[in-house]
């Protein structure tokens, strides 16, 4: 080991620190430069270097792995400070009330959460799953015994840190109690002479259920005992005279059965009571109260033993007052008629009463009056929504009536003032007025409209109702309910023949009104076109697989059927893609024959059609046009021409030729590209020429031709001349009458009229083209040099 300055070591971090760590250069101690969080990064790997700072330093390095261990430094946190849950009172044991949840950013055991209910006198009917936070019932619920439960819950992490929240659980009412009359039997006497509308007695019933299921929803009716329809009963239970009883009536006693029905749905529950009514003759004076009915309005609340009303009646002697209606918190002084409370009145429990009082005279006759007592409750508290805004997502495929969200509001008032009903603006959504459940009222279509905003209103039951509002914002999410549609049908494209493989041909395109992955369209062929074309399934680009030959009838036109789908097999569209293969000038003309033969009289008229040659070009359009020319130089150049229809015509007459036959080269060339051509030969025999004796024959004559031989030759010459004349006459007769030109005249065939200077000869094939090329390729008739035509060959 080194000593002295050579043993001094300096430390540094070479890589991996990212500014999170530093190292003491002398001690080698590694420090963190910021707080570490294992939830963000659990492991760091850094490279540390060691160097002795001398003239010739030596270095070394090491890998240091740093594991960040979690510490329980963050307590858990509930998602809500207060949870509102609702459950019907007829829910069986084990029903789920609701779920609470909390989070903890710590990891491992420190992040493991346990839920519990803080014990109290009301928590025995509930149980909470320690792992999930699910609250369930362990006993039966009865809203008539207890309507609300307030309980405290706790969550604790693995390190012992905890947090608290609260649950307000409301038991929803079920119509499980029938109305009850108090008392079940009533007795009353009235005069037969009382007028129509006179009150007889007020019956009283109550129902311990809530809202319309309870007392507030009761309706009364007389179901028996009143055959003659003498009486009627109001919605509040007041029986009165409907039809006068008559001054003298045999009916002096009526035993009515009265029924009360609550407002439960679908069928209300019922309760009954009996009312015994005695009718006295009008001659008997019955005690009569100053008013047939009294109404008292009291400010809520009212203490016990408070006088609320004094009633009085007149009759025969001293009046004795009584209270024949039972079950009400009032008493009446028998002698003074003062009515006082015998209990505390609180509108949170009951806000109104209807009962009857009686006045009896010394003869036992009794008169009655109806007492109405109302507590005027101050509606102190407005409803409060637990959320001011509800942001909800609903899929457009949801049917009408689908649940959107349940909104909840609370009201600290009791009784009717605390009864909340819900309403919502617009016609897109419905809300259940009691539960707050919002459902869709119409079919949603994201492609038509994708956001909705509605105002939800909670109104309490106060006489001067108070309200609260919350905003419902609904975003309609996409369903794959639209098929892709091609932008065109059909498509028309073209490509030139002979293009190499992978040449771009066309692009098809389809659109889908959906969004996201539902709008991702794919393309495919309806059948296998792989020998000719490929289709990119994502872009819709069609390319060629090989070169095409337009001259092949099977490759001049392609009708492709392209399909598109967005991934749902039922969402398919198709289109036709018509691809035309365009011509390229890639074919030379081809003669119909390798050679042609013809004959012409040396004295034929100008424009006379000798023969027609024919060549074709497999290309299309202008590329298929073929023009012709006679190759030059040739002894026949000055006498012949050819038009664009391939007609060989007489250009100059008579023909001054020295042979009886000629081989003429004819060229057919492409009208667009003259370098593309073909050549054939025309063997042309010249007729009508009298052959002169050859030099050899002359020499033989000089050596002594006999007179008989000379005479034979002359006779043969005359015979040939006669034969030629006959042939010319035959030809002329076949062509029709013709004008014989004067000696020395130049007669030319008129291509416009089809005849000879006014003579009506018509033949369009005689026409010549003024555009015929005048090139004169080399003429080769060597094979015919010094060769005399055989008369037999031309029918001579």
């Amino acid at each position: 080991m080194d000593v002295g300055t050579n043993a001094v070591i300096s430390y540094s971090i070479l890589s991996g620190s990212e500014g999170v760590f530093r190292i003491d250069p002398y001690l080698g101690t590694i420090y963190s430069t910021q707080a570490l969080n294992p939830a963000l990064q659990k492991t760091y790997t850094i490279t540390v270097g060691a160097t002795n700072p001398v003239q010739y330093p030596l270095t070394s390095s090491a890998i240091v792995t740093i594991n960040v261990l979690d510490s329980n430094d963050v307590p858990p946190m509930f998602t809500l400070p207060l949870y509102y849950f609702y459950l019907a009172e007829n829910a069986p044991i084990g029903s789920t009330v609701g779920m609470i949840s909390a989070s903890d950013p710590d990891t491992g055991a420190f992040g493991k959460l346990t839920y519990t209910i803080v014990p109290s006198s009301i928590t025995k009917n509930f149980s909470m799953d320690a792992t999930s936070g699910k609250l369930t019932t362990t006993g039966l619920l009865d809203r008539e015994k207890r309507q609300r439960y307030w309980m405290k819950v706790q969550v604790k992490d693995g390190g012992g840190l905890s947090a608290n929240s609260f649950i307000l659980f409301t038991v929803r009412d079920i119509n499980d109690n029938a109305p009850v009359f108090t008392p079940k039997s009533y007795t009353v006497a009235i005069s037969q002479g009382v007028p129509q509308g006179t009150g007889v007695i007020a019956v009283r019933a109550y129902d311990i259920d809530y809202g319309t299921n309870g007392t507030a929803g009761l309706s009364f009716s007389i179901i028996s005992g009143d055959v003659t329809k003498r009486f009627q009963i109001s919605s509040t239970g007041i029986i009165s005279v409907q039809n006068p009883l008559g001054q003298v009536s045999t009916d002096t006693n009526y035993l009515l059965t009265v029924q009360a029905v609550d407002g439960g749905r679908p069928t209300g529950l019922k309760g009954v009571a009996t009312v015994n009514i005695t009718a006295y003759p009008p001659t008997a004076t019955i005690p009569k109260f100053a008013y047939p009915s009294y109404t008292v309005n009291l400010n809520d609340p009212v203490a016990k033993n408070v006088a609320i009303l004094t009633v009085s009646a007149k009759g025969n002697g001293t009046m004795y007052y009584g209270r024949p209606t039972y079950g009400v918190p009032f008493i009446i002084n028998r002698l003074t008629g003062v009515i006082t409370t015998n209990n505390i009145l609180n509108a949170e429990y009951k806000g109104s009463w209807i009962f009857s009082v009686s006045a009896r005279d010394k003869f036992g006759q009794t008169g009655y009056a109806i007492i109405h007592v109302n507590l005027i409750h101050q509606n102190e508290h407005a409803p409060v929504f637990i959320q001011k805004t509800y942001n909800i997502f609903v899929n457009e495929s949801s049917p009408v009536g689908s649940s959107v969200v349940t909104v909840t509001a609370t009201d600290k008032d009791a009784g009717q003032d605390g009864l909340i009903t819900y309403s919502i603006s617009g016609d897109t959504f419905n809300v259940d007025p009691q539960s707050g459940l919002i459902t869709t009222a119409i079919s949603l279509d994201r492609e038509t409209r994708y956001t909705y905003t509605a105002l939800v209103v909670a109104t309490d039951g106060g006489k001067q109702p108070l309200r609260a509002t919350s905003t419902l914002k609904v975003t309609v999410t996409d369903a794959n309910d639209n098929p892709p549609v091609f932008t065109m049908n059909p498509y028309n494209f073209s490509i030139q023949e002979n293009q190499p493989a992978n040449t771009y041909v066309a692009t098809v395109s389809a659109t889908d009104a959906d969004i996201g992955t539902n709008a991702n369209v794919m393309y495919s062929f309806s059948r296998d076109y792989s020998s000719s074309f490929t289709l990119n399934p994502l872009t819709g680009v069609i390319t060629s697989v090989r070169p095409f030959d337009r001259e092949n009838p099977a490759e001049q036109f392609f009708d492709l059927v392209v399909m598109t789908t967005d991934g749902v097999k039922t969402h398919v569209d198709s289109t036709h893609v018509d691809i035309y293969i365009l011509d390229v000038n890639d074919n030379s003309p081809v003669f119909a024959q390798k050679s042609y033969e013809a004959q012409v009289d040396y004295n034929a008229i100008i424009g006379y059609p000798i023969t027609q040659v024919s060549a074709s070009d497999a290309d299309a359009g202008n590329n298929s046009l073929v023009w012709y020319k006679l190759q030059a130089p040739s002894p026949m150049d000055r006498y012949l021409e050819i038009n664009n229809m391939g007609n060989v015509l007489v250009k100059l007459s008579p023909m001054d030729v020295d042979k009886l036959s000629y081989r003429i080269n004819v060229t057919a060339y492409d009208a667009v590209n003259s370098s593309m051509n073909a050549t054939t030969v025309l063997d042309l025999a010249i007729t009508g020429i009298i052959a002169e004796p050859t030099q050899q024959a002359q020499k033989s004559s000089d050596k002594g031709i006999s007179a008989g031989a000379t005479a034979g030759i002359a006779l043969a010459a005359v015979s040939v001349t006669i034969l030629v004349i006959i042939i010319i006459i035959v030809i002329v007769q076949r062509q029709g009458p013709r004008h014989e030109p004067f000696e020395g005249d130049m007669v030319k065939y008129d291509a416009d009229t089809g005849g000879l200077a006014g003579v009506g000869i018509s033949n369009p094939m005689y026409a010549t083209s003024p555009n015929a090329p005048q090139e004169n390729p080399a003429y080769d008739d060597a094979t015919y040099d010094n060769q005399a035509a055989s008369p037999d060959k031309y029918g001579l």
Side-chain angles (χ1 to χ4, degrees):
M1 297 179 64
D2 294 324
V3 295
T5 57
N6 291 332
V8 175
I9 298 176
S10 175
Y11 301 93
S12 63
I13 296 177
L14 302 179
S15 65
S17 171
E18 305 296 336
V20 179
F21 302 96
R22 66 178 180 84
I23 190 170
D24 187 301
Y26 304 107
L27 301 177
T29 303
I30 299 174
Y31 301 91
S32 63
T33 61
Q34 61 189 48
L36 304 180
N37 189 343
L40 300 177
Q41 187 168 345
K42 293 182 178 181
T43 302
Y44 296 84
T45 301
I46 62 176
T47 302
V48 177
T51 304
N52 55 345
V54 294
Q55 184 177 1
Y56 300 102
L58 298 176
T59 62
S60 180
S61 63
I63 303 297
V64 178
T65 300
I66 301 173
N67 296 317
V68 181
L69 303 179
D70 191 25
S71 62
N72 194 26
D73 57 343
V74 181
M77 178 180 294
F78 278 101
T79 56
L80 291 173
L82 175 62
Y83 293 85
Y84 293 85
F85 297 137
Y86 300 85
L87 191 65
E89 61 178 324
N90 63 345
I93 296 174
S95 297
T96 299
V97 177
M99 185 88 70
I100 62 174
S101 63
S103 61
D104 192 331
D106 292 324
T107 60
F110 295 138
K112 185 177 180 181
L113 303 180
T114 303
Y115 300 90
T116 57
I117 301 174
V118 177
S120 70
S121 59
I122 63 171
T123 59
K124 61 181 180 181
N125 288 329
F126 301 92
S127 174
M128 176 164 286
D129 187 283
T131 302
S132 66
K134 182 170 71 173
L135 180 67
T136 56
T137 60
T138 57
L140 295 176
L141 304 175
D142 189 345
R143 190 206 65 82
E144 287 71 40
K145 293 181 179 179
R146 189 177 189 93
Q147 182 179 0
R148 290 185 177 90
Y149 294 84
W150 179 274
M151 61 187 76
K152 183 178 181 180
V153 290
Q154 185 179 78
V155 62
K156 184 180 295 186
D157 65 19
L161 298 179
S162 63
N164 297 323
S165 184
F166 297 89
I167 294 175
L168 178 58
F169 170 47
T170 301
V171 181
R172 295 191 186 277
D173 183 65
I174 297 296
N175 191 22
D176 56 351
N177 292 280
V180 176
F181 280 91
T182 56
K184 293 184 178 294
S185 177
Y186 298 84
T187 301
V188 65
I190 63 171
S191 171
Q192 292 178 343
V194 296
Q196 181 180 0
T198 300
V200 177
I201 193 171
V203 296
R204 175 63 181 171
Y206 69 93
D207 190 327
I208 61 175
D209 287 325
Y210 183 75
T212 57
N213 292 335
T215 303
L218 293 182
S219 60
F220 298 86
S221 62
I222 300 172
I223 61 174
S224 67
D226 187 18
V227 178
T228 57
K229 304 297 182 182
R230 298 290 186 183
F231 304 96
Q232 62 186 359
I233 189 169
S234 70
S235 60
T236 58
I238 299 175
I239 298 175
S240 61
V241 176
Q242 180 176 1
N243 294 307
L245 303 180
Q247 298 295 324
V248 179
S249 176
T250 57
D251 296 326
T252 60
N253 190 71
Y254 300 86
L255 183 61
L256 308 181
T257 302
V258 180
Q259 176 179 268
V261 181
D262 65 27
R265 294 290 182 269
T267 302
L269 301 179
K270 305 171 183 178
V272 296
T274 59
V275 180
N276 189 356
I277 301 174
T278 300
Y280 293 99
T283 55
T285 301
I286 297 175
K288 184 178 181 180
F289 281 92
Y291 302 97
S293 65
Y294 297 82
T295 299
V296 181
N297 295 319
L298 305 173
N299 289 327
D300 178 47
V302 180
K304 185 178 179 180
N305 299 322
V306 173
I308 64 169
L309 178 66
T310 298
V311 296
S312 64
K314 292 182 180 182
N316 300 311
T318 302
M319 296 291 108
Y320 299 93
Y321 299 98
R323 187 206 65 200
T325 302
Y326 296 90
V328 293
F330 306 99
I331 57 175
I332 188 170
N333 186 289
R334 184 170 180 269
L335 298 176
T336 63
V338 175
I339 300 173
T340 58
T341 60
N342 68 347
N343 207 338
I344 297 174
L345 306 183
N346 190 328
E348 292 186 358
Y349 297 98
K350 187 172 178 62
S352 65
W353 293 262
I354 301 175
F355 59 95
S356 62
V357 293
S358 64
R360 182 169 54 87
D361 62 15
K362 63 181 180 178
F363 299 111
Q365 295 183 105
T366 306
Y368 296 90
I370 304 300
I371 311 298
H372 299 263
V373 178
N374 300 313
L375 289 184
I376 301 175
H377 176 70
Q378 301 299 320
N379 189 13
E380 303 176 66
H381 304 285
V384 177
F385 277 97
I386 63 173
Q387 289 182 229
K388 291 298 293 180
T389 302
Y390 291 85
N391 293 296
I392 305 299
F393 294 88
V394 179
N395 192 271
E396 63 176 326
S397 64
S398 302
V400 174
S402 296
S403 298
V404 177
V405 67
T406 298
V407 296
T408 303
T410 59
D411 193 311
K412 294 182 179 180
D413 292 317
Q416 185 68 24
D417 290 343
L419 182 63
I420 295 176
T421 57
Y422 299 94
S423 61
I424 192 169
S425 64
D427 56 4
T428 305
F429 304 99
N430 293 326
V431 62
D432 185 282
Q434 278 75 44
S435 68
L437 173 64
I438 297 177
T439 56
T440 56
I442 63 173
S443 296
L444 303 179
D445 184 10
R446 188 207 62 81
E447 289 73 35
T448 303
R449 183 174 177 180
Y450 64 91
T451 59
Y452 293 87
T453 300
L455 190 67
V456 186
V457 180
T459 305
D460 66 21
K463 290 185 178 180
Q464 296 180 343
L466 301 177
R467 295 175 177 83
T469 60
S470 180
T471 302
L472 173 67
K473 295 182 178 180
V474 175
T475 300
V476 183
T477 59
D478 187 56
N480 196 0
D481 57 348
N482 288 280
V485 178
F486 278 103
T487 56
M488 295 180 63
N489 190 5
Y491 288 87
N492 291 292
F493 296 101
S494 61
I495 180 177
Q496 288 188 330
E497 63 176 328
N498 303 330
Q499 295 298 310
N502 298 319
T503 297
Y504 170 83
V505 177
T507 298
V508 295
S509 177
T511 59
D512 193 310
D514 294 319
I515 59 174
T517 57
N518 293 333
N520 292 339
V521 297
M522 300 285 288
Y523 303 95
S524 63
F525 285 131
S526 64
R527 61 186 182 88
D528 186 12
Y529 299 110
S530 59
S531 62
S532 301
F533 300 97
T534 60
L535 172 62
N536 188 306
L538 299 179
T539 64
V541 172
I542 300 173
T543 55
S544 63
V545 172
R546 58 180 174 81
F548 298 105
D549 183 9
R550 193 212 60 83
E551 287 70 45
N552 183 350
E555 296 186 3
Q556 293 178 355
F557 171 76
F558 293 89
D559 181 14
L560 312 181
V561 178
V562 179
M563 314 288 290
T564 182
T565 177
D566 59 4
V568 178
K569 293 183 178 179
T570 57
H571 287 176
V572 177
D573 191 25
S574 64
T575 187
H576 286 264
V577 180
D578 296 336
I579 300 175
Y580 297 85
I581 306 302
L582 302 181
D583 184 59
V584 172
N585 196 14
D586 58 346
N587 289 277
S588 297
V590 177
F591 275 102
Q593 299 176 209
K594 292 184 178 180
S595 64
Y596 294 83
E597 295 180 354
Q599 63 184 22
V600 63
D601 189 275
Y602 84 99
N603 198 32
I605 63 174
I606 293 174
Y608 175 77
I610 300 171
T611 188
Q612 184 179 27
V613 297
S614 177
S616 60
D617 191 315
D619 292 321
N622 291 337
N623 293 335
S624 66
L625 296 179
V626 178
W627 287 352
Y628 302 89
K629 64 181 177 181
L630 301 177
Q631 289 190 0
S634 167
M636 300 302 292
D637 280 352
R638 60 188 301 232
Y639 302 111
L640 303 179
E641 65 181 357
I642 189 169
N643 63 15
N644 286 340
M645 299 179 64
N647 297 311
V648 180
L649 309 172
V650 174
K651 182 171 67 173
L652 179 65
S653 180
M655 303 177 190
D656 185 11
V657 295
D658 58 358
K659 294 195 298 183
L660 296 180
S661 63
Y662 290 90
R663 169 162 286 189
I664 303 170
N665 290 335
V666 181
T667 299
Y669 63 95
D670 191 295
V672 176
N673 183 1
S674 61
S675 65
M676 304 177 70
N677 55 66
T679 302
T680 188
V681 295
L682 170 63
D683 292 332
L684 180 64
I686 308 301
T687 62
I689 298 176
I690 300 176
E692 296 181 358
T694 65
Q695 295 180 0
Q696 184 178 357
Q698 291 286 348
K699 292 177 180 180
S700 299
S701 176
D702 293 340
K703 290 181 179 180
I705 301 177
S706 64
T710 301
I713 292 171
L715 180 61
V718 170
S719 299
V720 170
T721 301
I722 294 172
L723 181 59
V724 169
I725 293 171
I726 293 172
I727 292 172
I728 293 173
I729 292 172
V730 170
I731 292 173
V732 170
Q733 288 177 346
R734 289 181 179 178
Q735 294 179 350
R738 58 183 288 181
H739 168 71
E740 294 293 340
F742 294 100
E743 184 176 358
D745 286 347
M746 293 299 293
V747 180
K748 183 175 182 180
Y749 180 75
D750 190 332
D752 294 329
T753 64
L756 299 175
V759 180
I761 299 175
S762 177
N763 191 336
M765 68 183 291
Y766 297 168
T768 62
S769 171
N771 299 321
Q774 302 302 318
E775 293 87 343
N776 294 314
Y779 171 78
D780 182 11
D781 61 346
T783 56
Y784 279 75
D785 286 347
N786 300 320
Q787 180 178 347
S790 172
D792 295 336
K793 183 175 182 179
Y794 302 103
L796 301 177

